[in-house]
Amino acid sequence: MAVYHCTVCRKSSFCGRRKHVYEKGHRERLAGILKTFSSKISAARKMIKGASVVKYSPSEHEGSFWCYCCDAEVKKHTTDGNQTVLFGGILEHMQSSEHVKAVNKFWWTHQAEKNLKPQFVLSSEEFERFKSSVTKALDNYEETEDVLIKQVAAQIRQVEENRMEILQSVLEPTTNPVEEEEAESAHVSSRKLEFNPEKAGPSRVHAMTLGSPPPTGVGPLLTFIGHQVLADNKLNVHTGALPPWLRLDEEEEEKQQEIGPSHADFIKHQEKQKLKKLPPNRVGANFDHSSATDEGWLPSFGRVWNSGRRWQSRHQYRSEAEEKGAKRKRREEDL
């Protein structure tokens, strides 16, 4: 007996196809697959009488549909990038000759119920009916889109007209231009004062009101105060120096320098605070580090020793210190 691999059960059967298709497990799995398949197709069959055309949406109208008979993925909807016919891809696939052959093969291979077979195939008459319903749906969609476009255009025109009215109301003069000129000339004449050069100061400005034009025959109302000479070749604002309002006085600079301890004082203070936490009677707590010391402070031993007695390291340390001192003297004499 040849080994048979069942695509519904997803396993191999060693008893052959004819015995396996009548087993209880195979019949239950086949019924479940056909039930889920028919529930998906029933939604598409409702579009045969009344097709639905909507605006294209990439997130919703790019889905796929798995055909159990063809064992392949099929596009769920039909779209051209602007408009989408809902479930158009499923219905178009169901009427194709490849799908019809795959359904016949699936029914013969797995011995499904014959009365369920017409649900999974679309006849040519049903597909023509679907086409006619799609043309009507497209006409209705275009009409609704035209109405929406006209409404949006009317709203845009209304907004533009309101904007133009507001601009015109702002730009239009409120009074007669002749009256405005007369009022302006009267206002200027009232603000003018007589110019008396004898009463005027050195700058000849205080005898006139601010904004009045100079009288005829009089030069510019400016006073020359002389060239500014820099003292001690100091920089000014024009040569890159700081302006006076950003400079600090000498007293303020000294105060800023005097305020607060220095970094070295702060470190010493921290060391003192650490020493306060140590026990006061510890060894070396009262040692005077400022006192002068010589070699007499050494104990009976002077260094680490490797051979001989321990006290002999003191003599060895002193002999090495004398040699180092002699070498330093020679170097100083050579220099």
Side-chain angles (χ1 to χ4, degrees):
M1 187 71 66
V3 179
Y4 170 69
H5 180 74
C6 181
T7 56
V8 174
C9 300
R10 301 294 180 184
K11 66 178 183 180
S12 299
S13 176
F14 295 93
C15 60
R17 183 186 67 84
R18 291 185 179 182
K19 290 185 179 181
H20 175 73
V21 294
Y22 294 106
E23 291 179 357
K24 183 178 179 180
H26 175 78
R27 304 298 295 178
E28 290 177 353
R29 295 187 189 93
L30 181 62
I33 289 173
L34 293 178
K35 185 177 180 180
T36 55
F37 197 16
S38 62
S39 63
K40 295 178 182 179
I41 290 175
S42 60
R45 281 188 167 274
K46 292 179 181 179
M47 298 295 169
I48 295 174
K49 294 181 180 180
S52 179
V53 179
V54 296
K55 192 175 181 180
Y56 172 70
S57 176
S59 59
E60 297 179 0
H61 302 148
E62 289 295 337
S64 58
F65 172 78
W66 181 260
C67 182
Y68 291 95
C69 299
C70 301
D71 201 12
E73 281 190 353
V74 182
K75 281 191 175 183
K76 195 172 182 180
H77 308 287
T78 303
T79 180
D80 60 350
N82 297 322
Q83 304 167 357
T84 301
V85 181
L86 298 180
F87 298 100
I90 296 175
L91 296 175
E92 188 175 358
H93 173 73
M94 288 174 63
Q95 64 88 29
S96 62
S97 59
E98 293 82 4
H99 177 73
V100 174
K101 291 179 183 179
V103 169
N104 293 330
K105 184 179 179 181
F106 184 86
W107 248 253
W108 179 82
T109 303
H110 300 287
Q111 293 297 316
E113 295 182 6
K114 293 182 179 179
N115 56 352
L116 299 175
K117 187 176 179 180
Q119 297 181 8
F120 302 94
V121 178
L122 195 68
S123 62
S124 59
E125 296 176 356
E126 290 175 338
F127 189 67
E128 291 296 331
R129 200 185 310 163
F130 172 69
K131 283 183 178 180
S132 61
S133 64
V134 168
T135 55
K136 292 179 182 179
L138 285 172
D139 295 337
N140 295 331
Y141 178 78
E142 289 176 356
E143 289 178 0
T144 55
E145 286 292 322
D146 292 339
V147 172
L148 290 174
I149 290 169
K150 290 178 181 178
Q151 291 177 358
V152 173
Q155 291 177 0
I156 293 170
R157 284 194 296 269
Q158 185 66 29
V159 172
E160 188 67 20
E161 289 177 359
N162 295 334
R163 189 177 68 84
M164 294 300 296
E165 289 177 359
I166 293 169
L167 289 174
Q168 289 178 0
S169 63
V170 172
L171 296 175
E172 284 179 357
T174 55
T175 59
N176 194 2
V178 178
E179 295 177 358
E180 286 186 356
E181 290 179 359
E182 293 177 355
E184 186 176 357
S185 61
H187 179 69
V188 171
S189 62
S190 65
R191 290 179 61 87
K192 287 184 179 179
L193 295 175
E194 294 181 358
F195 178 74
N196 190 356
E198 295 179 357
K199 295 182 180 180
S203 61
R204 298 184 180 184
V205 174
H206 72 278
M208 299 175 62
T209 57
L210 185 63
S212 60
T216 58
V218 181
L221 303 177
L222 298 174
T223 303
F224 179 69
I225 60 175
H227 296 286
Q228 299 294 319
V229 181
L230 296 176
D232 299 333
N233 295 326
K234 291 183 178 180
L235 297 176
N236 57 11
V237 179
H238 303 286
T239 57
L242 288 173
W245 55 87
L246 294 180
R247 296 176 188 171
L248 295 175
D249 297 336
E250 294 180 359
E251 295 179 359
E252 293 181 357
E253 291 180 357
E254 291 177 359
K255 289 180 181 179
Q256 287 186 357
Q257 292 176 0
E258 292 175 358
I259 292 173
S262 62
H263 183 65
D265 296 337
F266 179 70
I267 292 172
K268 289 180 181 179
H269 176 72
Q270 282 186 334
E271 291 178 355
K272 289 180 181 179
Q273 293 296 327
K274 290 180 182 178
L275 293 174
K276 286 182 180 180
K277 296 179 181 179
L278 298 175
N281 297 325
R282 67 188 185 277
V283 177
N286 298 323
F287 181 75
D288 187 8
H289 294 277
S290 61
S291 61
T293 56
D294 54 0
E295 294 182 357
W297 70 271
L298 287 171
S300 60
F301 58 92
R303 55 177 294 171
V304 179
W305 74 101
N306 294 324
S307 62
R309 296 183 180 182
R310 184 176 182 182
W311 60 269
Q312 292 178 355
S313 64
R314 182 182 179 91
H315 301 289
Q316 188 178 0
Y317 174 79
R318 287 180 176 176
S319 62
E320 289 180 357
E322 290 176 357
E323 289 179 359
K324 289 180 180 179
K327 289 181 180 179
R328 287 178 183 174
K329 289 181 180 179
R330 291 173 188 173
R331 289 177 182 174
E332 290 177 358
E333 291 175 357
D334 294 338
L335 294 173

